[in-house]
């Protein structure tokens, strides 16, 4: 299987190796997390202090709504870490393409899309990623919050199937339910990357998802709301690595 996102994957593996890190920062900082500095400067400081402990940075809709899409390129200039635009795309193919294209052209190295919208949407987004210099596409296959059990978990099998058929770069799975991560890895095979949010604020312990078969753990609040985001990121990176080395 030839998954899309060759350039993204190269950059991600490089940062994983250099920083010895399986940690992705969810940079969901908002005004309530800022002290004496403005929001943009707070984000830039967090990026500067955490970059060496990370494999990638995820930027979501709240930050873009607060600071504009340009925050993606501003941050990508400040760090060698690849930037994943978490826009959880969920629309018809025509609109999905526009969203993905805009994210890529602004400097995102990968996007996150929902998968419940169907195979035609995934095909369109993946074609766009290939046209934009082989960027990455991650598909939400299951979700970490309790409500994720209602609709998306029962559809997880089918979503994973179309993610594989369309050669997506990877999928998103729940660190909060390690048994689901084991199951996703079993069905995904080795080529698809698995990124897992839910560590820290949502209750999952660092390292458990990676030990269950995930490639990376996504962490937001446990890092950016702490007194020292740099130290927190480094500690979580170490916790993941220690759990991994326990075998
Ligand atoms: P936190 O560590 O603060 O809970 O942040 C988790 C991040 O992962 C958020 O950006 C959220 O949007 C994202 N996420 C999640 O928590 N669960 C999912 O199932 C999918 C996500 O993208």
């Amino acid at each position: 299987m030839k998954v899309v996102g060759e350039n993204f994957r190269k950059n991600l593996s490089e940062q994983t190796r250099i920083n010895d890190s399986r940690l992705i920062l969810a940079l969901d900082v908002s005004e309530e997390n800022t002290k004496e500095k403005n929001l943009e400067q707070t984000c830039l400081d967090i990026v500067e202090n955490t970059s060496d402990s990370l494999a990638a940075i995820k930027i979501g809709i709240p930050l873009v709504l607060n600071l504009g899409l340009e925050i993606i390129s501003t941050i990508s200039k400040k760090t060698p870490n690849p930037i994943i635009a978490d826009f959880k795309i969920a629309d018809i193919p025509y609109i999905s393409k526009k969203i993905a294209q805009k994210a890529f052209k602004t400097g995102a190295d990968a996007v996150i899309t929902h998968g419940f919208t169907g195979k035609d949407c995934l095909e369109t987004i993946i074609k766009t990623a290939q046209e934009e210099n082989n960027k990455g596409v991650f598909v939400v296959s299951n979700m970490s919050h309790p409500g994720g059990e209602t609709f998306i978990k029962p559809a997880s099998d089918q979503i994973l199937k179309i993610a594989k058929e369309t050669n997506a770069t990877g999928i998103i799975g729940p660190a909060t339910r390690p048994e689901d991560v084991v199951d996703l890895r079993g069905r995904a095979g080795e080529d698809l990357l698995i990124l897992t949010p839910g560590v820290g604020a949502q209750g999952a312990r660092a390292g458990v998802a990676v030990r269950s078969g995930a490639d990376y753990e996504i962490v937001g609040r446990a890092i950016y709301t702490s007194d020292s985001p740099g130290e927190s990121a480094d500690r979580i990176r170490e916790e993941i690595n220690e759990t991994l080395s326990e075998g």
Side-chain angles (χ1 to χ4, degrees), residues 139-174:
V139 181
V140 180
S141 299
N142 197 332
M143 291 191 80
S144 60
H145 62 309
E149 303 226 36
T150 316
F151 298 113
I152 201 155
K153 183 172 165 169
S156 169
D157 249 355
Q158 289 161 284
I159 297 173
L160 176 62
K161 185 168 174 281
I162 60 169
K164 277 175 87 168
E165 286 169 359
T166 52
N167 297 332
T169 313
I171 55 172
I172 308 294

mmCIF file of all heavy atoms in Angstrom, residues 139-174:
data_model
loop_
_atom_site.group_PDB
_atom_site.id
_atom_site.type_symbol
_atom_site.label_atom_id
_atom_site.label_comp_id
_atom_site.label_asym_id
_atom_site.label_seq_id
_atom_site.Cartn_x
_atom_site.Cartn_y
_atom_site.Cartn_z
ATOM 1 N N VAL A 139 -7.646 10.732 9.107
ATOM 2 C CA VAL A 139 -9.094 10.529 9.117
ATOM 3 C C VAL A 139 -9.535 10.169 10.543
ATOM 4 O O VAL A 139 -8.970 9.254 11.155
ATOM 5 C CB VAL A 139 -9.467 9.371 8.156
ATOM 6 C CG1 VAL A 139 -10.978 9.170 8.128
ATOM 7 C CG2 VAL A 139 -8.924 9.650 6.745
ATOM 8 N N VAL A 140 -10.527 10.898 11.055
ATOM 9 C CA VAL A 140 -11.046 10.590 12.393
ATOM 10 C C VAL A 140 -11.849 9.292 12.300
ATOM 11 O O VAL A 140 -12.870 9.224 11.626
ATOM 12 C CB VAL A 140 -11.952 11.733 12.926
ATOM 13 C CG1 VAL A 140 -12.472 11.388 14.322
ATOM 14 C CG2 VAL A 140 -11.213 13.061 12.950
ATOM 15 N N SER A 141 -11.335 8.265 12.984
ATOM 16 C CA SER A 141 -11.963 6.944 12.876
ATOM 17 C C SER A 141 -12.698 6.547 14.145
ATOM 18 O O SER A 141 -13.396 5.530 14.180
ATOM 19 C CB SER A 141 -10.904 5.875 12.606
ATOM 20 O OG SER A 141 -10.266 6.152 11.405
ATOM 21 N N ASN A 142 -12.492 7.311 15.197
ATOM 22 C CA ASN A 142 -13.087 7.014 16.497
ATOM 23 C C ASN A 142 -12.763 8.251 17.328
ATOM 24 O O ASN A 142 -11.837 8.977 16.985
ATOM 25 C CB ASN A 142 -12.420 5.756 17.089
ATOM 26 C CG ASN A 142 -13.210 5.128 18.217
ATOM 27 O OD1 ASN A 142 -13.955 5.803 18.924
ATOM 28 N ND2 ASN A 142 -13.036 3.831 18.405
ATOM 29 N N MET A 143 -13.523 8.536 18.381
ATOM 30 C CA MET A 143 -13.243 9.756 19.149
ATOM 31 C C MET A 143 -13.082 9.456 20.643
ATOM 32 O O MET A 143 -13.603 8.482 21.154
ATOM 33 C CB MET A 143 -14.315 10.814 18.904
ATOM 34 C CG MET A 143 -14.256 11.365 17.483
ATOM 35 S SD MET A 143 -15.295 12.827 17.253
ATOM 36 C CE MET A 143 -14.237 14.117 17.947
ATOM 37 N N SER A 144 -12.341 10.366 21.309
ATOM 38 C CA SER A 144 -11.892 10.091 22.677
ATOM 39 C C SER A 144 -12.925 10.415 23.759
ATOM 40 O O SER A 144 -12.796 9.934 24.876
ATOM 41 C CB SER A 144 -10.624 10.896 22.957
ATOM 42 O OG SER A 144 -10.874 12.282 22.811
ATOM 43 N N HIS A 145 -13.919 11.244 23.451
ATOM 44 C CA HIS A 145 -14.867 11.658 24.502
ATOM 45 C C HIS A 145 -15.959 10.583 24.668
ATOM 46 O O HIS A 145 -16.157 9.755 23.772
ATOM 47 C CB HIS A 145 -15.484 13.021 24.155
ATOM 48 C CG HIS A 145 -16.276 13.018 22.882
ATOM 49 N ND1 HIS A 145 -15.770 12.529 21.686
ATOM 50 C CD2 HIS A 145 -17.556 13.400 22.607
ATOM 51 C CE1 HIS A 145 -16.693 12.647 20.749
ATOM 52 N NE2 HIS A 145 -17.780 13.162 21.288
ATOM 53 N N PRO A 146 -16.685 10.593 25.816
ATOM 54 C CA PRO A 146 -17.694 9.551 26.046
ATOM 55 C C PRO A 146 -18.741 9.472 24.918
ATOM 56 O O PRO A 146 -19.135 8.384 24.505
ATOM 57 C CB PRO A 146 -18.340 9.971 27.375
ATOM 58 C CG PRO A 146 -17.268 10.747 28.077
ATOM 59 C CD PRO A 146 -16.500 11.458 26.999
ATOM 60 N N GLY A 147 -19.161 10.627 24.388
ATOM 61 C CA GLY A 147 -20.160 10.634 23.318
ATOM 62 C C GLY A 147 -19.673 9.971 22.033
ATOM 63 O O GLY A 147 -20.483 9.617 21.161
ATOM 64 N N GLY A 148 -18.362 9.802 21.938
ATOM 65 C CA GLY A 148 -17.796 9.139 20.759
ATOM 66 C C GLY A 148 -18.265 7.696 20.623
ATOM 67 O O GLY A 148 -18.182 7.098 19.555
ATOM 68 N N GLU A 149 -18.767 7.148 21.733
ATOM 69 C CA GLU A 149 -19.238 5.753 21.691
ATOM 70 C C GLU A 149 -20.590 5.640 20.978
ATOM 71 O O GLU A 149 -20.982 4.558 20.554
ATOM 72 C CB GLU A 149 -19.395 5.218 23.122
ATOM 73 C CG GLU A 149 -18.107 5.313 23.921
ATOM 74 C CD GLU A 149 -17.775 4.060 24.696
ATOM 75 O OE1 GLU A 149 -18.057 2.959 24.190
ATOM 76 O OE2 GLU A 149 -17.228 4.210 25.801
ATOM 77 N N THR A 150 -21.331 6.770 20.871
ATOM 78 C CA THR A 150 -22.695 6.693 20.346
ATOM 79 C C THR A 150 -22.753 6.436 18.844
ATOM 80 O O THR A 150 -23.392 5.497 18.392
ATOM 81 C CB THR A 150 -23.458 8.013 20.654
ATOM 82 O OG1 THR A 150 -23.202 8.395 21.991
ATOM 83 C CG2 THR A 150 -24.949 7.852 20.426
ATOM 84 N N PHE A 151 -22.089 7.291 18.068
ATOM 85 C CA PHE A 151 -22.207 7.168 16.610
ATOM 86 C C PHE A 151 -20.913 6.759 15.932
ATOM 87 O O PHE A 151 -20.909 5.957 15.010
ATOM 88 C CB PHE A 151 -22.695 8.496 15.999
ATOM 89 C CG PHE A 151 -24.057 8.906 16.474
ATOM 90 C CD1 PHE A 151 -24.221 10.032 17.263
ATOM 91 C CD2 PHE A 151 -25.169 8.147 16.151
ATOM 92 C CE1 PHE A 151 -25.478 10.400 17.715
ATOM 93 C CE2 PHE A 151 -26.437 8.510 16.602
ATOM 94 C CZ PHE A 151 -26.591 9.638 17.390
ATOM 95 N N ILE A 152 -19.798 7.380 16.382
ATOM 96 C CA ILE A 152 -18.572 7.185 15.590
ATOM 97 C C ILE A 152 -17.919 5.836 15.884
ATOM 98 O O ILE A 152 -17.429 5.179 14.966
ATOM 99 C CB ILE A 152 -17.608 8.391 15.711
ATOM 100 C CG1 ILE A 152 -16.653 8.384 14.518
ATOM 101 C CG2 ILE A 152 -16.867 8.440 17.010
ATOM 102 C CD1 ILE A 152 -16.082 9.722 14.171
ATOM 103 N N LYS A 153 -17.975 5.388 17.129
ATOM 104 C CA LYS A 153 -17.361 4.085 17.428
ATOM 105 C C LYS A 153 -18.033 2.947 16.639
ATOM 106 O O LYS A 153 -17.332 2.132 16.032
ATOM 107 C CB LYS A 153 -17.350 3.814 18.936
ATOM 108 C CG LYS A 153 -16.657 2.499 19.258
ATOM 109 C CD LYS A 153 -16.454 2.270 20.723
ATOM 110 C CE LYS A 153 -16.121 0.803 20.934
ATOM 111 N NZ LYS A 153 -15.654 0.491 22.252
ATOM 112 N N PRO A 154 -19.366 2.898 16.591
ATOM 113 C CA PRO A 154 -19.984 1.833 15.797
ATOM 114 C C PRO A 154 -19.638 1.907 14.299
ATOM 115 O O PRO A 154 -19.702 0.900 13.595
ATOM 116 C CB PRO A 154 -21.488 2.049 16.006
ATOM 117 C CG PRO A 154 -21.591 2.803 17.284
ATOM 118 C CD PRO A 154 -20.362 3.673 17.355
ATOM 119 N N ALA A 155 -19.267 3.124 13.824
ATOM 120 C CA ALA A 155 -18.940 3.262 12.391
ATOM 121 C C ALA A 155 -17.440 3.129 12.139
ATOM 122 O O ALA A 155 -16.978 3.199 10.992
ATOM 123 C CB ALA A 155 -19.435 4.621 11.896
ATOM 124 N N SER A 156 -16.685 2.948 13.218
ATOM 125 C CA SER A 156 -15.234 3.004 13.144
ATOM 126 C C SER A 156 -14.636 2.023 12.130
ATOM 127 O O SER A 156 -13.722 2.365 11.370
ATOM 128 C CB SER A 156 -14.689 2.755 14.555
ATOM 129 O OG SER A 156 -13.327 2.559 14.529
ATOM 130 N N ASP A 157 -15.183 0.808 12.119
ATOM 131 C CA ASP A 157 -14.732 -0.220 11.164
ATOM 132 C C ASP A 157 -14.818 0.253 9.719
ATOM 133 O O ASP A 157 -13.861 0.127 8.951
ATOM 134 C CB ASP A 157 -15.700 -1.413 11.262
ATOM 135 C CG ASP A 157 -15.027 -2.605 11.867
ATOM 136 O OD1 ASP A 157 -13.817 -2.536 12.110
ATOM 137 O OD2 ASP A 157 -15.743 -3.607 12.098
ATOM 138 N N GLN A 158 -15.987 0.799 9.388
ATOM 139 C CA GLN A 158 -16.213 1.231 7.995
ATOM 140 C C GLN A 158 -15.363 2.448 7.644
ATOM 141 O O GLN A 158 -14.866 2.580 6.535
ATOM 142 C CB GLN A 158 -17.687 1.580 7.775
ATOM 143 C CG GLN A 158 -18.583 0.370 7.764
ATOM 144 C CD GLN A 158 -20.016 0.776 8.022
ATOM 145 O OE1 GLN A 158 -20.390 1.070 9.157
ATOM 146 N NE2 GLN A 158 -20.805 0.838 6.967
ATOM 147 N N ILE A 159 -15.185 3.343 8.631
ATOM 148 C CA ILE A 159 -14.364 4.535 8.368
ATOM 149 C C ILE A 159 -12.912 4.111 8.130
ATOM 150 O O ILE A 159 -12.259 4.577 7.192
ATOM 151 C CB ILE A 159 -14.474 5.565 9.531
ATOM 152 C CG1 ILE A 159 -15.908 6.074 9.647
ATOM 153 C CG2 ILE A 159 -13.510 6.727 9.307
ATOM 154 C CD1 ILE A 159 -16.173 6.974 10.855
ATOM 155 N N LEU A 160 -12.440 3.198 8.972
ATOM 156 C CA LEU A 160 -11.068 2.704 8.798
ATOM 157 C C LEU A 160 -10.902 2.055 7.417
ATOM 158 O O LEU A 160 -9.881 2.241 6.749
ATOM 159 C CB LEU A 160 -10.736 1.706 9.913
ATOM 160 C CG LEU A 160 -9.383 1.023 9.817
ATOM 161 C CD1 LEU A 160 -8.252 2.034 9.888
ATOM 162 C CD2 LEU A 160 -9.208 0.010 10.929
ATOM 163 N N LYS A 161 -11.929 1.320 7.012
ATOM 164 C CA LYS A 161 -11.868 0.628 5.716
ATOM 165 C C LYS A 161 -11.684 1.646 4.573
ATOM 166 O O LYS A 161 -10.808 1.475 3.723
ATOM 167 C CB LYS A 161 -13.164 -0.172 5.527
ATOM 168 C CG LYS A 161 -13.212 -1.030 4.291
ATOM 169 C CD LYS A 161 -14.402 -1.991 4.384
ATOM 170 C CE LYS A 161 -14.585 -2.783 3.103
ATOM 171 N NZ LYS A 161 -15.245 -2.023 2.043
ATOM 172 N N ILE A 162 -12.456 2.743 4.592
ATOM 173 C CA ILE A 162 -12.307 3.702 3.484
ATOM 174 C C ILE A 162 -11.007 4.508 3.618
ATOM 175 O O ILE A 162 -10.433 4.926 2.628
ATOM 176 C CB ILE A 162 -13.544 4.620 3.267
ATOM 177 C CG1 ILE A 162 -13.871 5.463 4.496
ATOM 178 C CG2 ILE A 162 -14.745 3.812 2.794
ATOM 179 C CD1 ILE A 162 -14.910 6.547 4.211
ATOM 180 N N ALA A 163 -10.539 4.686 4.867
ATOM 181 C CA ALA A 163 -9.235 5.370 5.040
ATOM 182 C C ALA A 163 -8.142 4.527 4.386
ATOM 183 O O ALA A 163 -7.241 5.048 3.720
ATOM 184 C CB ALA A 163 -8.944 5.590 6.527
ATOM 185 N N LYS A 164 -8.237 3.208 4.554
ATOM 186 C CA LYS A 164 -7.235 2.316 3.952
ATOM 187 C C LYS A 164 -7.378 2.299 2.429
ATOM 188 O O LYS A 164 -6.391 2.395 1.700
ATOM 189 C CB LYS A 164 -7.417 0.888 4.475
ATOM 190 C CG LYS A 164 -6.762 0.650 5.816
ATOM 191 C CD LYS A 164 -7.058 -0.726 6.351
ATOM 192 C CE LYS A 164 -6.059 -1.754 5.843
ATOM 193 N NZ LYS A 164 -6.189 -3.026 6.605
ATOM 194 N N GLU A 165 -8.619 2.187 1.972
ATOM 195 C CA GLU A 165 -8.849 2.094 0.518
ATOM 196 C C GLU A 165 -8.377 3.344 -0.223
ATOM 197 O O GLU A 165 -7.973 3.276 -1.370
ATOM 198 C CB GLU A 165 -10.341 1.859 0.235
ATOM 199 C CG GLU A 165 -10.780 0.449 0.548
ATOM 200 C CD GLU A 165 -12.304 0.272 0.519
ATOM 201 O OE1 GLU A 165 -13.029 1.266 0.266
ATOM 202 O OE2 GLU A 165 -12.756 -0.840 0.771
ATOM 203 N N THR A 166 -8.464 4.491 0.456
ATOM 204 C CA THR A 166 -8.068 5.732 -0.210
ATOM 205 C C THR A 166 -6.594 6.074 0.061
ATOM 206 O O THR A 166 -6.112 7.122 -0.351
ATOM 207 C CB THR A 166 -8.958 6.909 0.262
ATOM 208 O OG1 THR A 166 -8.952 6.941 1.698
ATOM 209 C CG2 THR A 166 -10.388 6.772 -0.230
ATOM 210 N N ASN A 167 -5.906 5.187 0.801
ATOM 211 C CA ASN A 167 -4.483 5.384 1.129
ATOM 212 C C ASN A 167 -4.211 6.634 1.958
ATOM 213 O O ASN A 167 -3.225 7.349 1.736
ATOM 214 C CB ASN A 167 -3.617 5.428 -0.134
ATOM 215 C CG ASN A 167 -3.653 4.125 -0.888
ATOM 216 O OD1 ASN A 167 -3.855 3.074 -0.279
ATOM 217 N ND2 ASN A 167 -3.469 4.182 -2.184
ATOM 218 N N ALA A 168 -5.091 6.903 2.923
ATOM 219 C CA ALA A 168 -4.865 8.032 3.841
ATOM 220 C C ALA A 168 -3.534 7.839 4.564
ATOM 221 O O ALA A 168 -3.039 6.718 4.685
ATOM 222 C CB ALA A 168 -6.001 8.099 4.856
ATOM 223 N N THR A 169 -2.991 8.945 5.052
ATOM 224 C CA THR A 169 -1.716 8.881 5.779
ATOM 225 C C THR A 169 -1.903 8.194 7.118
ATOM 226 O O THR A 169 -1.006 7.509 7.610
ATOM 227 C CB THR A 169 -1.202 10.320 6.028
ATOM 228 O OG1 THR A 169 -1.314 11.045 4.806
ATOM 229 C CG2 THR A 169 0.228 10.326 6.524
ATOM 230 N N GLY A 170 -3.051 8.434 7.748
ATOM 231 C CA GLY A 170 -3.266 7.848 9.066
ATOM 232 C C GLY A 170 -4.666 8.121 9.568
ATOM 233 O O GLY A 170 -5.509 8.694 8.860
ATOM 234 N N ILE A 171 -4.890 7.706 10.802
ATOM 235 C CA ILE A 171 -6.203 7.869 11.424
ATOM 236 C C ILE A 171 -6.047 8.449 12.831
ATOM 237 O O ILE A 171 -4.961 8.439 13.395
ATOM 238 C CB ILE A 171 -6.969 6.522 11.511
ATOM 239 C CG1 ILE A 171 -6.113 5.474 12.244
ATOM 240 C CG2 ILE A 171 -7.364 6.018 10.124
ATOM 241 C CD1 ILE A 171 -6.853 4.186 12.544
ATOM 242 N N ILE A 172 -7.172 8.932 13.372
ATOM 243 C CA ILE A 172 -7.207 9.426 14.753
ATOM 244 C C ILE A 172 -7.986 8.400 15.578
ATOM 245 O O ILE A 172 -9.070 7.962 15.170
ATOM 246 C CB ILE A 172 -7.930 10.797 14.841
ATOM 247 C CG1 ILE A 172 -7.368 11.815 13.838
ATOM 248 C CG2 ILE A 172 -7.894 11.339 16.276
ATOM 249 C CD1 ILE A 172 -5.954 12.253 14.056
ATOM 250 N N GLY A 173 -7.440 8.023 16.724
ATOM 251 C CA GLY A 173 -8.117 7.061 17.603
ATOM 252 C C GLY A 173 -8.083 7.552 19.040
ATOM 253 O O GLY A 173 -7.400 8.529 19.348
ATOM 254 N N PRO A 174 -8.822 6.907 19.943
ATOM 255 C CA PRO A 174 -8.955 7.438 21.307
ATOM 256 C C PRO A 174 -7.940 6.876 22.318
ATOM 257 O O PRO A 174 -7.981 5.697 22.656
ATOM 258 C CB PRO A 174 -10.371 6.971 21.704
ATOM 259 C CG PRO A 174 -10.569 5.701 20.923
ATOM 260 C CD PRO A 174 -9.696 5.754 19.701
#
